Amino acid sequence: GDSVTQMEGPVTLSEEAFLTINCTYTATGYPSLFWYVQYPGEGLQLLLKATKADDKGSNKGFEATYRKETTSFHLEKGSVQVSDSAVYFCALRNSNSGYALNFGKGTSLLVTP
Amino acid sequence: GAVVSQHPSWVICKSGTSVKIECRSLDFQATTMFWYRQFPKQSLMLMATSNEGSKATYEQGVEKDKFLINHASLTLSTLTVTSAHPEDSSFYICSASGDGLSGANVLTFGAGSRLTVL
């Protein structure tokens, strides 16, 4: 079945550091890929998405490119802020699985001043 | 647009009682709703998928008689945890899928409901 693997956390960075959170997937067909963010005490929010190979999703300085050849969708940000501290989830959505989202385990990010 | 309201956000109940969690799509019609469970420091695990007017489809290992899901209208789905026990304590999250105001399909999450069973 479909699955998502993302790097284990927690990740601790200093403010203005470069962020990469790795995400790889296994899926049949042509899934859509997502990054969701969960701030402390809040629900999931869509951060960005890509629906086909080579698409780049971007939002709030975060970027991720859908790489079919490496089955990856790594999340990057050039300069993180304290307010980016949250848990980040990589997910895929596939018509083969009824359009439910299949999540990775989440990566906790802590940005220190 | 595409807002999903989930209620209650926190609930504490005694062991053996039942708890109902509501999930409402506020500005779009949710043809499909998904219910997830999230354990501390874990990912979201899909429990069931419900289409309006149909019986929910449960994931393997999820007891359908324990987690009753009703999706009687295009804007409301409910999850009832029956005869709750401490091991049912968790964070329950719904998401709703449907056509938004622009006609494009949307998928939006509720803020979640934290259940603590004493």
Side-chain angles (χ1 to χ4, degrees):
Chain A
D2 296 349
S3 66
V4 176
T5 303
Q6 63 182 104
M7 62 187 288
E8 296 277 339
V11 173
T12 302
L13 294 173
S14 298
E15 204 166 23
E16 299 183 1
F18 185 86
L19 169 71
T20 299
I21 300 178
N22 290 337
C23 171
T24 57
Y25 68 91
T26 302
T28 56
Y30 303 94
S32 295
L33 302 174
F34 304 82
W35 277 100
Y36 280 84
V37 57
Q38 186 177 34
Y39 297 103
E42 298 184 15
L44 285 173
Q45 299 176 28
L46 177 64
L47 181 59
L48 54 84
K49 68 178 182 180
T51 58
K52 61 182 187 296
D54 299 325
D55 270 2
K56 177 186 284 188
S58 61
N59 186 27
K60 299 180 181 179
F62 290 89
E63 293 184 341
T65 301
Y66 188 161
R67 301 284 188 201
K68 192 168 178 63
E69 65 275 15
T70 55
T71 61
S72 65
F73 193 54
H74 304 322
L75 181 68
E76 297 181 335
K77 186 174 185 180
S79 176
V80 293
Q81 305 300 312
V82 172
S83 57
D84 293 327
S85 298
V87 180
Y88 293 81
F89 292 92
C90 185
L92 72 81
R93 190 182 188 196
N94 200 339
S95 59
N96 295 342
S97 58
Y99 292 104
L101 283 168
N102 193 324
F103 287 90
K105 290 189 175 181
T107 302
S108 176
L109 170 66
L110 176 64
V111 180
T112 58
Chain B
V3 176
V4 171
S5 172
Q6 192 171 337
H7 176 81
S9 53
W10 293 85
V11 58
I12 300 173
C13 69
K14 292 182 178 180
S15 186
T17 61
S18 295
V19 174
K20 180 184 286 187
I21 299 170
E22 292 187 348
C23 181
R24 292 181 185 274
S25 58
L26 298 185
D27 50 4
F28 69 103
Q29 293 186 328
T31 50
T32 305
M33 287 194 174
F34 305 93
W35 286 94
Y36 295 84
R37 183 174 180 177
Q38 185 182 26
F39 292 101
K41 299 184 179 181
Q42 297 288 319
S43 186
L44 284 76
M45 301 301 297
L46 179 66
M47 299 175 65
T49 302
S50 72
N51 294 300
E52 185 266 337
S54 302
K55 289 185 177 180
T57 301
Y58 290 80
E59 295 299 301
Q60 191 171 10
V62 178
E63 300 176 60
K64 62 180 181 180
D65 294 332
K66 180 161 189 65
F67 299 100
L68 301 179
I69 292 172
N70 183 288
H71 190 173
S73 79
L74 284 171
T75 59
L76 174 64
S77 177
T78 60
L79 167 67
T80 301
V81 183
T82 62
S83 186
H85 289 93
E87 59 266 29
D88 298 325
S89 298
S90 191
F91 194 53
Y92 294 88
I93 303 172
C94 73
S95 69
S97 175
D99 291 336
L101 294 176
S102 66
N105 185 261
V106 296
L107 175 68
T108 305
F109 283 80
S113 300
R114 184 165 301 285
L115 170 64
T116 301
V117 184
L118 303 177

